[in-house]
Amino acid sequence: AAAGSELPGSAALTLLGPAPGAPCCPHGPALLFVKTSQGKEDGRRFYACSACRDRKDCNFFQWEDEKVSETRLAAREEYNRSHQPFFTHRQNVDRYKNFVLLPLSKRRFCQECQQLLLPAEWKKHSDHQFLCEITTAQLKSPSQLLYPLENKKTNAQYLFADRSCQFLLNLLIDLGFRRVLSVGTPRLHEMIQSKASQEEEFNVRSLLLDIDFRYSQFYTEDEFCHYNMFNHHFFGGEAVRETCRKFLCEENGERVIMVTDPPFGGLVEALASSFKKLMAMWRETEKEGDDNREMPMFWIFPYFFESRILDFFPSFSMMDYQVDYDNHALYKHGKTGRRQSPVRIFTNLTPSMIVLPEEEGYRFCTVCQRYVSSGNQHCEICNSCTSKDGRRWKHCALCKKCVKPSWFHCNNCNCCTLQKHSCEKTDTGCFVCGKAGHKRSACPSLSRS
């Protein structure tokens, strides 16, 4: 959590979520956490930045019961104002219109400021590195023009490889979706935008919701919303929220799906809370008014978060398709064994509808009624295709489940684990109350507080 490294002593941090009247940092309303010392039921609550889990990126911190002076409040407001973008979205749209009218020889992009430059601004940036002669093709692919922000806990702009991006778009079209709410998926958004501008018959639309305001230089207010997916905050206020709400209206049979690719170091609890609010916004636009319906969704995340995602969205299931990224050293397609990409698609759509490419080795399991990877063999005992990481897993009769091929059953630990491990059986109970039978996240004492 945001303030974890700064808090003394042995303590556990638990997210309590957004709170009414929460103080703000440059990333919008802060989230409420509780710090609990081992063996104590009551913890002290505090606010920390929603987007940055490293205090070097945003050092906002405030105890919930702390009285903040008027002077400090005024200084905080001034600090937040000073950390907002220099241009508004509307100004950026106007600047773009002027930029595209320039001859190629006068189109410059400042690499240091990550900004399209008009000729009158060249002097201010004279000691900076430029990219010159920016083409229309480059303007249509801003994710390749901008430097990726690669802080894995805040921005983590690991951008879809063309293979995965094209697969996702083809899948969405085949499934009949004509509107895509692209939450933190700039490359998918720009592929849709590019095809829409080049192909008359292409009828898919996309709205990008992203915390990276640099994209406002390239997209209109109907194509991009400045949004923080960790606290469901629209930076432009009610007008921007209304843009999103209008986009979610399903008119003329144009079905909507949300596709999101959050930073893998982000808090699943915070993300799930925001996604549920986007779903609620979608339900508000539905004429049927069924409160139990979920907006169709693809949540792209590593497979080892499966249990956490299912805690919040029990209707979701994980697909075997391996999503790969251009600018990530490990998450690449075509690697074998443990070096395969661990990133998967979690969805609330019926698994049998998600057709995976057979030319890449995926096949349909008639028992499980879903496509699985070539190494994912059906276990007759578990009655399921059990592999999560693409390798063939083996069944352990003692554990009564399939486990990774590199694991072995340890009689001391009474479970399967790596062969080289330390057998340290412990009877330690819950971190919060010390009692056995449950973990900290499910502690009834914490729930009461």
Side-chain angles (χ1 to χ4, degrees):
S5 59
E6 300 293 324
L7 296 174
S10 177
L13 295 175
T14 303
L15 173 66
L16 298 179
C24 291
C25 71
H27 304 95
L31 294 179
L32 186 61
F33 296 82
V34 62
K35 167 188 173 258
T36 312
S37 299
Q38 189 162 11
K40 293 184 180 179
E41 290 190 7
D42 296 327
R44 193 173 180 190
R45 300 178 181 216
F46 65 90
Y47 292 103
C49 175
S50 60
C52 304
R53 293 177 63 194
D54 191 330
R55 293 194 72 184
K56 287 181 284 188
D57 297 317
C58 181
N59 63 2
F60 182 86
F61 178 87
Q62 180 186 315
W63 293 110
E64 184 191 32
D65 54 8
E66 182 180 353
K67 290 186 178 179
V68 182
S69 68
E70 292 294 328
T71 304
R72 192 171 154 207
L73 281 174
R76 181 183 291 168
E77 286 180 16
E78 179 56 36
Y79 177 84
N80 290 348
R81 269 196 302 270
S82 69
H83 281 71
Q84 294 311 305
F86 186 75
F87 294 111
T88 65
H89 193 171
R90 167 49 48 193
Q91 287 172 325
N92 274 337
V93 170
D94 291 339
R95 287 165 53 79
Y96 182 86
K97 288 177 182 175
N98 291 327
F99 188 88
V100 295
L101 294 174
L102 295 170
L104 199 61
S105 61
K106 292 192 175 183
R107 291 186 185 179
R108 291 188 181 183
F109 177 77
C110 178
Q111 290 181 293
E112 192 168 320
C113 301
Q114 295 285 281
Q115 183 181 315
L116 297 173
L117 297 180
L118 298 173
E121 299 161 347
W122 290 359
K123 192 173 180 182
K124 283 184 185 177
H125 300 258
S126 58
D127 57 344
H128 295 175
Q129 289 288 320
F130 291 141
L131 283 178
C132 298
E133 299 188 354
I134 303 300
T135 64
T136 302
Q138 285 176 297
L139 293 173
K140 297 290 183 187
S141 304
S143 71
Q144 296 179 37
L145 188 62
L146 299 167
Y147 285 137
L149 304 174
E150 294 184 353
N151 180 325
K152 68 178 181 179
K153 295 179 180 178
T154 309
N155 304 100
Q157 288 179 332
Y158 298 126
L159 302 164
F160 292 145
D162 189 63
R163 160 194 167 266
S164 289
C165 204
Q166 192 65 63
F167 164 75
L168 283 169
L169 181 54
N170 291 342
L171 179 60
L172 296 173
I173 293 170
D174 291 344
L175 290 169
F177 293 105
R178 294 296 174 261
R179 299 193 192 195
V180 182
L181 188 67
S182 304
V183 184
T185 57
R187 186 152 286 180
L188 177 64
H189 174 73
E190 74 183 34
M191 182 177 278
I192 292 172
Q193 294 292 106
S194 179
K195 283 183 177 291
S197 66
Q198 294 171 19
E199 302 171 19
E200 276 188 33
E201 295 181 1
F202 187 80
N203 59 351
V204 179
R205 293 171 53 205
S206 173
L207 174 65
L208 176 63
L209 271 56
D210 206 291
I211 198 169
D212 187 353
F213 192 67
R214 297 178 302 171
Y215 284 104
S216 68
Q217 298 178 87
F218 304 92
Y219 299 122
T220 67
E221 290 135 312
D222 291 330
E223 297 167 341
F224 170 79
C225 293
H226 193 199
Y227 175 77
N228 181 349
M229 70 174 81
F230 290 103
N231 59 1
H232 188 58
H233 178 64
F234 290 89
F235 289 89
E238 197 54 43
V240 178
R241 181 188 294 272
E242 182 62 16
T243 297
C244 181
R245 195 196 68 78
K246 281 183 178 177
F247 183 83
L248 294 175
C249 291
E250 296 189 352
E251 299 170 348
N252 304 320
E254 292 185 339
R255 296 173 61 211
V256 178
I257 186 169
M258 173 169 37
V259 181
T260 182
D261 182 33
F264 301 151
L267 291 166
V268 174
E269 298 95 320
L271 293 167
S273 173
S274 294
F275 298 157
K276 286 183 177 182
K277 287 173 182 174
L278 286 171
M279 284 185 170
M281 189 184 291
W282 169 78
R283 274 196 298 272
E284 287 173 13
T285 70
E286 287 289 274
K287 294 179 176 65
E288 291 85 1
D290 184 355
D291 290 342
N292 295 319
R293 285 189 67 198
E294 285 185 341
M295 173 166 57
M297 181 175 169
F298 285 168
W299 181 342
I300 295 161
F301 227 49
Y303 71 81
F304 38 81
F305 283 100
E306 181 181 21
S307 62
R308 299 291 294 123
I309 291 175
L310 297 185
D311 282 344
F312 296 101
F313 294 104
S315 64
F316 278 36
S317 52
M318 186 179 81
M319 303 296 98
D320 272 21
Y321 183 81
Q322 294 182 15
V323 180
D324 60 329
Y325 296 80
D326 267 349
N327 58 326
H328 198 291
L330 298 178
Y331 300 169
K332 300 277 189 183
H333 176 62
K335 293 187 176 181
T336 57
R338 294 188 63 190
R339 297 187 66 82
Q340 299 175 79
S341 172
V343 186
R344 303 289 185 269
I345 300 171
F346 294 86
T347 183
N348 51 4
L349 298 177
T350 305
S352 59
M353 296 168 60
I354 313 298
V355 179
L356 304 186
E358 293 182 1
E359 64 272 16
E360 293 182 14
Y362 297 101
R363 56 184 174 75
F364 190 76
C365 175
T366 54
V367 182
C368 296
Q369 284 293 293
R370 69 181 181 96
Y371 279 81
V372 296
S373 62
S374 56
N376 194 357
Q377 298 299 311
H378 193 88
C379 174
E380 299 296 338
I381 303 170
C382 296
N383 195 30
S384 175
C385 292
T386 53
S387 172
K388 307 292 183 184
D389 62 8
R391 295 178 293 170
R392 182 170 185 170
W393 285 20
K394 60 184 181 182
H395 190 86
C396 174
L398 296 172
C399 290
K400 297 181 179 177
K401 65 178 182 180
C402 286
V403 298
K404 294 180 179 180
S406 55
W407 286 16
F408 296 87
H409 194 87
C410 173
N411 291 323
N412 290 331
C413 299
N414 195 30
C415 68
C416 282
T417 184
L418 289 168
Q419 198 162 21
K420 292 181 180 179
H421 74 282
S422 54
C423 297
E424 296 177 357
K425 276 194 80 174
T426 174
D427 295 323
T428 305
C430 169
F431 184 94
V432 177
C433 66
K435 296 176 183 177
H438 64 268
K439 295 182 179 180
R440 171 182 62 81
S441 58
C443 181
S445 302
L446 201 57
S447 299
R448 277 203 306 277
S449 68

